[in-house]
């Protein structure tokens, strides 16, 4: 029987403690080895929470799948902040330009339900709202409307999906 352990771990800094250790212990695998593999695969996401899936089969073979960090973590890393605003309606903690929004949207491509770049960018902008992050200097909701109206089409012409 195959066992699957899913956890959110700090990129490049997973350790054998909770949540991984207690979940992997009963499966009889070498926890230290698994944690080292996870840290190697998540090294690029240093400082972000990364979803990880550890799949252990009957013969104790281990497969590790690394997901994309949450959109909020990607936004915070892109603008260089530690946390979002506590008062999103009145306090602005940072600003993204439209190219940065497109970059985050491309990173999330595999994990979203949207079929195109614009729709995924609107999802990213939607995440900006409760964080107190503006897009192109205006509220994220207004940027979503501007995106729908085609105001950023010239910038997006060079962007790949």
């Amino acid at each position: 029987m195959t066992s699957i352990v899913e956890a959110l771990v700090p990129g490049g800094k997973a350790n054998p403690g909770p949540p991984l250790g207690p979940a992997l212990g009963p499966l009889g695998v070498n926890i230290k080895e698994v944690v080292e593999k996870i840290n190697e695969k998540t090294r690029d996401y240093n400082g972000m929470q990364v979803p990880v899936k550890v799949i252990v089969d009957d013969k104790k073979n281990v497969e590790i799948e690394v997901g994309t960090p949450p959109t909020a973590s990607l936004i915070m890393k892109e603008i260089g902040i530690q946390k979002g605003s506590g008062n999103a309606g009145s306090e602005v903690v940072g600003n993204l330009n439209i190219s940065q929004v497109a970059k985050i949207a491309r990173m999330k491509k595999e994990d979203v339900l949207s079929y195109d770049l614009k729709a995924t960018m609107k999802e990213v902008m939607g995440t900006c709202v409760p964080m107190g992050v503006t897009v192109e200097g205006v509220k994220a909701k207004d940027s979503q409307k501007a995106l729908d109206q085609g105001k950023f089409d010239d910038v997006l012409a060079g962007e790949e999906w």
Side-chain angles (χ1 to χ4, degrees):
M1 189 173 113
T2 303
S3 300
I4 299 173
V5 175
E6 294 184 45
L8 206 57
V9 299
K13 295 181 181 162
N15 61 46
L20 289 173
L24 293 172
L27 302 178
V29 295
N30 183 336
I31 297 171
K32 183 177 184 279
E33 213 173 89
V34 172
V35 169
E36 285 174 2
K37 285 181 187 174
I38 290 171
N39 285 337
E40 186 179 312
K41 287 188 172 200
T42 61
R43 182 177 52 240
D44 293 340
Y45 298 119
N46 191 13
M48 290 188 265
Q49 292 292 314
V50 183
V52 173
K53 190 184 287 188
V54 181
I55 304 162
V56 182
D57 67 15
D58 299 347
K59 297 176 182 155
K60 310 262 186 261
N61 294 323
V62 178
E63 182 183 334
I64 299 167
E65 294 178 3
V66 177
T68 309
T71 306
S73 296
L74 295 172
I75 291 168
M76 289 188 292
K77 182 168 183 172
E78 191 66 31
I79 58 178
I81 59 172
Q82 294 298 316
K83 64 182 195 125
S85 168
N87 311 326
S90 57
E91 182 185 346
V92 175
V93 294
N95 180 61
L96 287 173
N97 64 43
I98 205 69
S99 297
Q100 290 173 305
V101 173
K103 175 183 172 186
I104 295 168
R106 280 193 307 278
M107 289 173 144
K108 295 295 288 183
K109 181 179 183 178
E110 304 301 319
D111 298 332
V112 296
L113 300 174
S114 302
Y115 294 115
D116 63 12
L117 180 62
K118 272 190 176 182
T120 306
M121 288 174 66
K122 285 175 67 177
E123 287 185 36
V124 173
M125 290 175 185
T127 304
C128 290
V129 175
M131 294 178 67
V133 174
T134 58
V135 177
E136 292 291 341
V138 297
K139 289 184 179 179
K141 287 183 180 180
D142 295 333
S143 293
Q144 286 176 324
K145 290 175 189 162
L147 185 65
D148 282 339
Q149 294 166 358
K151 294 196 173 142
F152 301 119
D153 285 354
D154 54 332
V155 179
L156 296 179
E159 296 286 344
E160 287 183 31
W161 176 231

